[in-house]
Amino acid sequence: MDRIAIDMDEVIADVIPKFIKLYNRDFGVPLDLVIEPGNEVFMQIPEDVNQKWHEYINEPGFFRDLDVIKDSQEVIRALQEKYDVYIVSAAMEFRNSLVDKYDWLAEHFPFLDWQHIMFCGNKIVEVDVLIDDRIKNFVNCKGRPLLYTSPHNLLITEYERVNSWKDIASLLL
């Protein structure tokens, strides 16, 4: 059975609205965020506070209440019938994220066995398909990389792109 590895942030968990919510809470100024293609969310906020995103992402609880990306639950459940599916997240980068991410997955993807969740530093996993929004994770990937669209990767053209979970379903199911 072929193996699929799926990233969390900006692939199944929607991080950007959480940044906007916290920014609005702390600065009381609505953030009309239009992220220019190729830019990160923190590049779009005023320079004098543009490191605030780093504080947010390191707060305990940041990853616990993220929105689920549309159609990801249904498609991943269907993928499990055909593939050996793993969630692979570079959670070690943000030490407070480990419990948050595990609990979030248990709530929103309870059909995923804990043995199919991998929290790591580098995503050096042998899989047949890797679905991720960061091309740095494709460097050691011997399988088929699928670039999940996010504002920061819109200018990248050298990888097969998927814009939604419906796209993934049409390619892999």
Side-chain angles (χ1 to χ4, degrees):
M1 182 179 286
D2 285 350
R3 285 184 288 203
I4 296 179
I6 302 168
D7 179 40
M8 284 186 73
D9 301 331
E10 295 185 61
V11 176
I12 63 172
D14 202 355
V15 177
I16 294 172
K18 179 75 178 265
F19 281 119
I20 295 169
K21 177 182 171 186
L22 294 174
Y23 180 89
N24 290 342
R25 175 198 72 192
D26 290 351
F27 296 98
V29 177
L31 184 59
D32 183 20
L33 188 64
V34 176
I35 303 174
E36 295 173 17
N39 283 339
E40 301 283 349
V41 65
F42 65 87
M43 299 169 101
Q44 303 301 123
I45 60 178
E47 190 174 332
D48 58 327
V49 294
N50 73 357
Q51 287 304 310
K52 191 69 174 165
W53 72 273
H54 195 265
E55 291 175 30
Y56 294 150
I57 207 165
N58 282 293
E59 283 180 15
F62 177 86
F63 292 93
R64 182 59 185 94
D65 62 350
L66 299 176
D67 293 334
V68 177
I69 293 191
K70 186 177 191 281
D71 301 319
S72 60
Q73 293 158 308
E74 297 80 12
V75 174
I76 290 172
R77 187 184 296 270
L79 288 171
Q80 280 187 306
E81 295 176 19
K82 189 175 177 182
Y83 302 95
D84 198 10
V85 176
Y86 293 85
I87 301 299
V88 181
S89 179
M92 300 305 293
E93 185 176 358
F94 309 108
R95 90 184 267 273
N96 290 322
S97 77
L98 295 169
V99 171
D100 288 348
K101 287 185 174 201
Y102 183 83
D103 290 345
W104 185 89
L105 284 166
E107 177 183 347
H108 299 289
F109 294 83
F111 52 87
L112 289 168
D113 183 272
W114 66 269
Q115 293 175 319
H116 285 85
I117 298 170
M118 303 166 80
F119 294 144
C120 54
N122 290 322
K123 294 181 188 174
I124 48 173
V125 293
E126 277 196 42
V127 293
D128 299 288
V129 178
L130 173 59
I131 303 168
D132 208 307
D133 65 301
R134 302 264 172 203
I135 62 170
K136 69 180 183 181
N137 296 315
F138 297 151
V139 172
N140 294 310
C141 180
K142 293 181 174 84
R144 177 183 182 184
L146 294 178
L147 183 62
Y148 196 91
T149 296
S150 185
H152 67 83
N153 68 32
L154 286 173
L155 301 178
I156 296 168
T157 58
E158 62 265 26
Y159 292 97
E160 186 176 5
R161 179 177 295 280
V162 287
N163 295 308
S164 69
W165 278 94
K166 294 287 187 194
D167 286 355
I168 293 168
S170 68
L171 287 173
L172 300 177
L173 292 174

